[in-house]
Amino acid sequence: MSVLVYIENRNGKFKKSTYEIVSYGKRLANGLGSSLTLLSIGRVAEDELKNLGAYGAGKILSAETDAPLDDKAYASLIASAAQNSGATLVVMAHNVTGKALAPRVAVRLNAGLVSAVNGLPVSYQPFVVSKKAFSGKSLMQAEITSDIKVITLSQNTAGIETFAGEALIEKIDTSSMTSGTKVVSTEVQTGKILLSEADVVVSGGRGMRSADNWKPLEELAGVLGAATACSRPVSDEGWRPHHEHVGQTGKVVAPNLYFALGISGAIQHLAGISSSKVIVAVNKDPEAPIFSAADYGIVGDLQTVLPKMTEAFRKLKASS
Amino acid sequence: MNFEFSEEQLMIQQAARDYAQRELIKDVIERDTHAIYPTEHVKALSELGFMGMLVDPEYDGGGMDTVSYVLAMEEISKVDSSVSVIMSVNNSLVCYGIEKFGTEAQKEKFLKPLARGEKIGAFLLSEPEAGSDATSQRTTAEDKGDYYLLNGTKNWITNGNTAGTYLVIAQTHPEKGHKGINVLIVDRHSPGISVGPHEDKMGMRSSDTHSVMFNDVKVPKENRIGEDGFGFKFAMKTLEGGRIGIAAQALGIASGAFERAVKYSKERKAFGTEIANHQSVAFKLADMAVKIENARNLCLKAAWLKDQGKPYGYASAMAKYYAAEIAMEVTTEAVQIHGGYGYVKEYHVERLMREAKLTQIYEGTSEIQQIVISRQVLSEF
Amino acid sequence: MNILVCISNVPDTTTRIKYSADMKSVDYSGVQWIINPWDELALTRAIELKEAHPALVQKITVITAGGADAEPTLRKALACGADDAIRVDAPGGDSLFTATQLAHAVKGEPFDVILCGIESSDYNGSAVGGMLAELLDYNSVSAVSSLNLEGNSVKVTREIDGGKQSIETSAPVVLIVQKGIAINPRIPSMRGIMTARTKPLKVVAAAAASPGSKVVGYQAPPQKSACKMIDPENIDELVHLLHTEARVI
C-alpha cells in the first residue's frame, strides 16, 4: 500500500509547489500508515531528485523522457506506476497539468476523484476531504468511496514541512510511450513571475482608467517581485492580455498577498481571489464591495496612492 | 389565469438582459454625456433580431409576441433608453403600422429591411404647433394624380436623421378635417427633405431627435397606407400599440433605478449599519417595489390583450400613464437613496431620472392618457 | 466533422448559496440556471467554427446529464446555434458518474471533436472532460485557449506549466477549454430562438454506473474579519502592517 504523488519539473528543476506536494504526500502516507512513492516524468538530474528527501520523499520513480505532455500517454504512465507500486491514493497538484491528467488516471484506476482539495483530509477512514465549491462561495466535504482514490491539491493550502530521510531513485522504462499530439511551438514566459505561482500579485481594474496607466502598477509589481493581473473588464477592453484575468472564468489565484487596485470587487472577481492570504484594496469609492473582502483598505486616488506605495515598499526592501 | 412566462419568453428576456448588462452598460454614460448615437448597438441588436422582433418571420421578423417585447424593452431600458426608444419606434410604430395596414408590395419593399434592422424607421406625427393634438396637421400631402406633394415641418422626430424610412402623417383634404389625413411611406433620402439640427435633450440624449422639413417632396401614390383619408385612424391605432413599448420602457427605467437603489442600500453604511436597515430607506424600497410590480402587470396585461387579438387601447393607455408616472417617482427616490452619489453621473440613477421625465411626455403625454382613460371610463359607467 | 459540446447546467454565478437545514445539501429553490460559463464559451467557439467552415463542420450537438429541468439550458444552446441536443436522464452523481453517462450516450457516435469546459462553476471539479476522453479512449488536450480547424487537423493553443504551447492533434479528440477560446458568449437571436423550437432534443436513459465519491456536507466559508482602513496620506502604515502584522512582505 502506498501514496503515489506525481511531481512535475520545469526544465529539470522543481519549484516550491513541488516541495509542498511532496511533503503533503508524506503527511498523507503517515496518516494512512503507508509509504510515499513519487513519480517524476521528464529529465531531472539525480541531485535535484535527491533534494526531495528533505521533504519526505522515499522512493522516487524517475521516468526519463523528452516526450512533451500528452494527456493519454502521461496518464497511462502514472496509472501503471500506481498499479505497480500498489498505490491506493494518487495525488497531483491542482494546476494545468494535474487538471489534464488526474481525470484520466482516475478512470484507468477505476477511482473516485476529488479535485482542488484544501490541505489534509478531514478523516482518513472514511476518506473525507474538504474543498471549495461554487467558486469559493461554499466549502464542501466529500468522501471518496472507491478502493483507489485520486485527489488534486489546491496550491498553497498544505504548506511545506521537512522530514529527515533519504530519497531512493528508481528509473522506469518509458520506451513504450506514444504521443497523439504534435508540439508546433512552445512559448515559455521568461523574466516574468508567473501569476499561477506568485507569492504576491498586483492586480488592476477598471479604476486604472486606461491601458496607458499600467506603468506605475508594473513598477510596484517590480519592487515587490510580484506578478501582474487584472479584472475581467480590463481584459475585455484589451488593456491587458486575457491570461492576466483573475476571477470566476479567468485564473483562480492563491498568493500570500493580493493587491486589488481600482477593482470594485464584483462577486465573479472575488471568486478568483478568495484563497489569497491577505488582500489589500485601493479604491476611490469607499462603498466598493472589494473592501468587504479585503484585509487592508485605502480610499484614495490611484494616481497619487500608487506611486507612494511603490516608494514605501522600495524603502522597506532597501532596508531589509 | 396564468402568471408564468414561457421558456421562450424567459430566453428573450435573458438575451436582452445579457446584451444590456454586458454591452450597453459599457459606454452608456459617455454616450449620454456627448449625445453619441449608438450605431454599433443598433446594428448588434438588429442582428439579434430585436429591431423587428414583433414582425412575422415571413417578412424577416422575429415572430415574437408582445409579452416578450415588453420583457426585452424592460431589460434594455434598465440600462439605456436611448437605445430602447429606437427599438420601440421601429418595432411598435413603423413595423407594426406597415405590417398591419400595408399592402403586400409595401411589406415586401419597406417592411423587410426594417424588420432586419438594415433600415430604421421614424414616425412623423408631431408638428411645431400640433404635438398631442393629432387632428390639426399642418403638413400637407397634395394629391397630384399619380403622386403626393409633401410640404411642412415635423418636430421631435426620433430617428429623424438616421432613419431610412419615414412614416409621415399629412393632410390631403383640409376640408374633411381629421378624415382628410393620410399616412405615406417616404424614403428619407427623397429630394426636398431637410433635417434640422440634433435636439440637445435633457435625457435619452444619444437618441437621434430632429425636426424634419418637407419642401415639395414627391411621394408615389402606392406609398400611401390604406384608403384615402385613413391616416388619422392609422396614427391612433398605431399609437395604441406604441404605448405598450413606451410603458415597458418606463417600467425598465423604474426597475433599473430600483435595482441600483437596492444594491446601494445594502452596501452603503450610515450610523453603523447598512442604510437598507434604516426603516426610512427600507419603506421607500417597499413602495418602489409595489409600484414597479403594478406597472409591470399593467404592461403585461396590455401586451397579453394585444397578443390575444383583443382590444388593448384602454389597457395600453393605463400602462403607459402609470408606468411613466411611477418611473418619475421611483427614479427620484432612487436618487434620494443614493444621496450625493445619486446626483453624479457615475451612479447612473440621475440619468434614469432624466430619462423617466420623457416617458411622461412623448407618445402621448400623461394628460392625453388621462383623457383616453377617462373617456372610456365615462362611456362605460 | 461533427462537434459535441458537453454542457453543465449550473446556478447563475451571482447566486447566493443556501443549504438544507442539516447542511448536507444545497437548497436550489429559486435558483436561476445557466449554461456553465466555460461550456458557454466552448459552444460559442463551436458555432464560430461552423460559421467559418460550413463545409467542414457539419453538425454541433450539445449534451448534458441531468433531469428534465436541465432542458431549458439545452434549448438555449440550440437557440444559440447548436443543431441538436441529447439529455442523458441521469441527474446527480460525481464527475465519474457523469462522465460515464456521457460516454455511454455518445459511444459509437461519430463525434470528431468533443469540447468540454475546464470546470463547472458549481463543484469546480475539472474532471468530466478528461474522464470522458479516457472512457472513449480519445486523445485529449486540456487548458485549451484557442482552437482552429484545418482539414482533419485540429490546431490548438494550450496552457502548460510556465507558458503556452501550440500543438496539432487529430480527430477524434476531447478538448478541455478555458478562457480565451471565445471572447463573448453567444446571445441567442430571435431567429435562433424560433428555430430552436423544431430542433431535435433526444432523451437517453441512464446507464448503470456507480460514483466514486459523494458529498458529505457543506459549510459556509469562514467570515473575513473587518477591513482595516488606512489613511491614503500614511502609506508607511500599510507597509508596516503588511510587514509586522500580516507578515507577508
Side-chain angles (χ1 to χ4, degrees):
Chain A
M1 210 168 73
S2 79
V3 173
L4 181 79
V5 173
Y6 167 68
I7 50 173
E8 192 180 9
N9 71 83
R10 186 184 305 154
N11 303 324
K13 297 286 174 206
F14 293 122
K15 299 163 291 176
K16 223 178 84 186
S17 57
T18 312
Y19 305 140
E20 182 184 28
I21 202 167
V22 171
S23 88
Y24 175 70
K26 179 63 181 173
R27 282 171 279 168
L28 287 173
N30 289 346
L32 288 164
S34 68
S35 62
L36 171 66
T37 306
L38 306 181
L39 170 64
S40 160
I41 304 179
R43 291 200 190 272
V44 184
E46 206 169 300
D47 284 355
E48 186 74 8
L49 289 169
K50 284 266 182 199
N51 283 342
L52 298 177
Y55 302 99
K59 188 157 86 172
I60 304 178
L61 305 173
S62 175
E64 293 196 333
T65 173
D66 295 315
L69 175 66
D70 177 81
D71 292 8
K72 203 169 167 179
Y74 271 49
S76 151
L77 194 64
I78 297 168
S80 312
Q83 279 159 340
N84 294 338
S85 61
T88 52
L89 177 61
V90 178
V91 184
M92 288 178 227
H94 192 67
N95 57 15
V96 281
T97 320
K99 284 181 201 176
L101 301 177
R104 297 198 74 128
V105 171
V107 167
R108 285 196 168 241
L109 299 174
N110 200 15
L113 161 67
V114 174
S115 48
V117 165
N118 287 327
L120 289 166
V122 178
S123 88
Y124 286 96
Q125 199 56 257
F127 193 81
V128 178
V129 290
S130 171
K131 66 165 288 179
K132 289 190 173 185
F134 297 98
S135 305
K137 284 187 282 185
S138 178
L139 282 175
M140 179 176 112
Q141 296 192 343
E143 179 189 342
I144 305 182
T145 48
S146 51
D147 294 341
I148 300 178
K149 301 162 177 60
V150 180
I151 58 175
T152 62
L153 174 70
S154 273
Q155 287 178 57
N156 227 353
T157 61
I160 297 172
E161 279 186 26
T162 54
F163 296 86
E166 204 166 319
L168 208 82
I169 300 160
E170 185 185 311
K171 296 215 165 127
I172 58 171
D173 181 32
T174 57
S175 55
S176 60
M177 276 181 90
T178 54
S179 177
T181 50
K182 189 180 114 200
V183 174
V184 178
S185 66
T186 304
E187 196 181 306
V188 178
Q189 275 194 13
T190 50
K192 274 188 113 178
I193 293 120
L194 288 171
L195 186 48
S196 53
E197 55 201 46
D199 286 329
V200 182
V201 172
V202 180
S203 187
R206 203 185 255 283
M208 293 292 294
R209 297 222 188 99
S210 85
D212 308 333
N213 293 340
W214 239 263
K215 196 120 194 101
L217 186 149
E218 282 177 330
E219 244 169 75
L220 174 62
V223 168
L224 292 167
T228 52
C230 67
S231 66
R232 176 167 176 171
V234 168
S235 67
D236 280 358
E237 292 279 354
W239 297 351
R240 300 297 290 179
H242 283 292
H243 64 77
E244 284 201 0
H245 163 203
V246 164
Q248 173 103 46
T249 50
K251 289 217 165 59
V252 173
V253 296
N256 289 326
L257 178 56
Y258 185 87
F259 286 88
L261 308 177
I263 293 175
S264 66
I267 194 158
Q268 289 89 344
H269 187 75
L270 301 182
I273 65 169
S274 63
S275 296
S276 308
K277 289 219 165 59
V278 173
I279 296 173
V280 175
V282 182
N283 207 295
K284 73 176 164 65
D285 176 7
E287 309 304 332
I290 189 74
F291 289 119
S292 35
D295 301 277
Y296 300 100
I298 295 175
V299 177
D301 185 356
L302 277 166
Q303 294 210 314
T304 57
V305 173
L306 191 44
K308 278 193 206 164
M309 277 169 64
T310 308
E311 225 21 73
F313 283 115
R314 204 191 300 275
K315 249 181 7 203
L316 176 81
K317 292 277 171 182
S319 70
S320 59
Chain B
M1 278 303 275
N2 182 4
F3 278 99
E4 297 271 318
F5 295 118
S6 73
E7 194 181 305
E8 225 165 63
Q9 287 163 341
L10 290 171
M11 215 187 285
I12 290 163
Q13 180 184 44
Q14 187 65 44
R17 181 180 299 154
D18 283 348
Y19 189 81
Q21 302 293 338
R22 270 186 220 153
E23 305 297 332
L24 286 181
I25 192 79
K26 280 186 195 160
D27 297 313
V28 62
I29 293 172
E30 169 95 357
R31 285 196 302 275
D32 176 73
T33 303
H34 303 291
I36 301 165
Y37 183 79
T39 312
E40 289 306 309
H41 295 300
V42 171
K43 188 164 170 268
L45 286 166
S46 298
E47 278 160 14
L48 288 172
F50 283 103
M51 285 297 155
M53 65 182 286
L54 291 169
V55 176
D56 194 303
E58 194 188 334
Y59 303 109
D60 295 347
M64 296 300 159
D65 60 7
T66 318
V67 169
S68 304
Y69 175 61
V70 166
L71 297 177
M73 279 295 293
E74 180 182 355
E75 292 303 326
I76 303 284
S77 307
K78 280 180 186 175
V79 179
D80 192 350
S81 284
S82 293
V83 171
S84 69
V85 70
I86 298 167
M87 198 175 132
S88 175
V89 168
N90 203 60
N91 266 296
S92 48
L93 296 181
V94 182
C95 286
Y96 173 79
I98 300 176
E99 186 176 20
K100 177 88 178 165
F101 302 108
T103 63
E104 208 50 45
Q106 288 167 343
K107 290 180 199 176
E108 193 63 37
K109 185 170 175 194
F110 299 105
L111 179 58
K112 281 187 171 181
L114 287 165
R116 289 193 297 263
E118 289 164 13
K119 280 189 179 173
I120 295 296
F123 191 80
L124 292 79
L125 173 65
S126 295
E127 297 191 349
E129 285 150 65
S132 294
D133 179 7
T135 55
S136 55
Q137 292 290 313
R138 299 276 179 97
T139 302
T140 55
E142 206 182 324
D143 192 339
K144 291 282 187 186
D146 52 353
Y147 64 90
Y148 287 104
L149 198 63
L150 207 49
N151 278 291
T153 300
K154 292 290 181 182
N155 254 24
W156 317 124
I157 304 306
T158 304
N159 304 338
N161 191 36
T162 41
T165 303
Y166 287 162
L167 287 189
V168 183
I169 313 291
Q171 182 59 271
T172 302
H173 313 284
E175 71 285 359
K176 291 188 185 163
H178 69 269
K179 287 184 178 158
I181 293 173
N182 274 316
V183 56
L184 307 176
I185 309 173
V186 181
D187 183 340
R188 145 84 179 87
H189 298 288
S190 312
I193 295 179
S194 53
V195 172
H198 177 271
E199 301 286 357
D200 195 5
K201 305 191 294 293
M202 170 180 170
M204 299 199 204
R205 293 177 45 75
S206 52
S207 87
D208 175 48
T209 312
H210 296 262
S211 52
V212 177
M213 279 75 72
F214 298 94
N215 187 10
D216 284 342
V217 177
K218 285 184 184 175
V219 182
K221 265 277 174 65
E222 71 256 25
N223 284 14
R224 189 188 70 210
I225 297 179
E227 295 293 298
D228 189 22
F230 178 66
F232 182 74
K233 209 166 174 189
F234 173 89
M236 292 303 108
K237 280 281 162 208
T238 308
L239 286 171
E240 274 184 3
R243 283 184 213 129
I244 299 177
I246 300 306
Q249 179 183 61
L251 166 66
I253 293 170
S255 55
F258 174 69
E259 284 173 10
R260 288 184 181 279
V262 171
K263 185 164 173 280
Y264 183 81
S265 66
K266 283 158 83 173
E267 284 167 8
R268 167 81 185 186
K269 288 192 177 131
F271 305 104
T273 181
E274 285 78 18
I275 59 169
N277 296 327
H278 297 302
Q279 207 175 60
S280 59
V281 172
F283 279 15
K284 270 195 197 349
L285 293 172
D287 285 347
M288 290 155 89
V290 173
K291 287 172 182 173
I292 289 167
E293 190 62 19
N294 274 336
R296 189 176 289 123
N297 286 336
L298 283 170
C299 289
L300 291 170
K301 168 99 182 281
W304 180 84
L305 285 168
K306 183 164 180 265
D307 288 336
Q308 301 301 309
K310 295 176 197 276
Y312 59 90
Y314 179 57
S316 71
M318 276 193 173
K320 201 268 175 185
Y321 171 52
Y322 185 76
E325 293 300 306
I326 69 106
M328 201 63 245
E329 292 162 20
V330 167
T331 52
T332 308
E333 289 290 39
V335 170
Q336 189 67 22
I337 288 171
H338 278 76
Y341 292 101
Y343 204 66
V344 295
K345 290 188 175 183
E346 202 182 329
Y347 284 76
H348 298 273
V349 286
E350 65 82 33
R351 186 185 72 255
L352 293 166
M353 184 176 160
R354 286 186 280 114
E355 287 172 346
K357 189 67 217 168
L358 188 50
T359 65
Q360 293 178 303
I361 297 171
Y362 70 178
E363 292 205 27
T365 60
S366 285
E367 292 73 16
I368 288 288
Q369 307 308 328
Q370 286 174 304
I371 292 174
V372 173
I373 297 162
S374 61
R375 276 185 188 154
Q376 179 85 9
V377 167
L378 292 170
S379 72
E380 271 185 16
F381 300 103
Chain C
M1 183 173 276
N2 294 324
I3 301 179
L4 178 73
V5 184
C6 302
I7 279 182
S8 186
N9 188 36
V10 298
D12 186 290
T13 52
T14 55
T15 307
R16 256 172 219 243
I17 305 301
K18 296 176 290 180
Y19 307 93
S20 62
D22 61 4
M23 295 297 282
K24 286 195 187 309
S25 58
V26 173
D27 172 7
Y28 287 115
S29 58
V31 162
Q32 179 155 11
W33 296 89
I34 59 165
I35 301 179
N36 176 43
W38 290 274
D39 302 344
E40 198 178 20
L41 291 175
L43 174 65
T44 301
R45 186 62 191 147
I47 296 164
E48 287 169 0
L49 286 170
K50 192 178 175 210
E51 286 168 354
H53 310 285
L56 184 59
V57 180
Q58 273 101 36
K59 197 172 74 160
I60 300 169
T61 303
V62 287
I63 188 169
T64 195
D69 53 357
E71 287 187 6
T73 296
L74 284 179
R75 271 190 290 270
K76 185 186 170 188
L78 292 172
C80 286
D83 298 291
D84 59 4
I86 304 169
R87 176 173 71 82
V88 191
D89 192 21
D94 70 342
S95 46
L96 186 60
F97 176 85
T98 302
T100 307
Q101 297 299 344
L102 299 180
H104 160 74
V106 304
K107 204 153 215 164
E109 300 275 339
F111 290 113
D112 304 284
V113 174
I114 299 180
L115 301 177
C116 299
I118 195 160
E119 65 179 86
S120 64
S121 61
D122 49 3
Y123 295 107
N124 310 114
S126 308
V128 172
M131 286 179 168
L132 178 60
E134 191 63 43
L135 288 164
L136 295 173
D137 198 26
Y138 279 20
N139 281 323
S140 61
V141 184
S142 185
V144 170
S145 59
S146 88
L147 161 63
N148 284 294
L149 301 174
E150 263 174 47
N152 213 34
S153 148
V154 179
K155 300 191 165 188
V156 305
T157 305
R158 71 169 168 192
E159 187 185 336
I160 53 163
D161 175 49
K164 54 186 182 174
Q165 216 163 43
S166 301
I167 63 174
E168 261 183 62
T169 183
S170 52
V173 65
V174 174
L175 303 175
I176 298 142
V177 308
Q178 64 178 18
K179 165 106 181 170
I181 189 76
I183 304 304
N184 289 316
R186 234 356 119 95
I187 294 174
S189 69
M190 300 294 138
R191 188 162 295 276
I193 292 170
M194 214 159 39
T195 50
R197 292 173 190 163
T198 52
K199 287 179 178 174
L201 192 163
K202 183 169 82 176
V203 179
V204 176
S210 48
S213 65
K214 63 180 185 198
V215 175
V216 178
Y218 293 90
Q219 276 172 282
Q223 284 282 323
K224 269 255 175 190
S225 51
C227 183
K228 209 172 254 184
M229 299 310 288
I230 290 153
D231 184 349
E233 298 302 319
N234 193 4
I235 300 294
D236 287 340
E237 193 196 345
L238 173 73
V239 176
H240 178 73
L241 287 170
L242 289 175
H243 188 54
T244 58
E245 185 182 77
R247 294 167 183 273
V248 286
I249 286 277

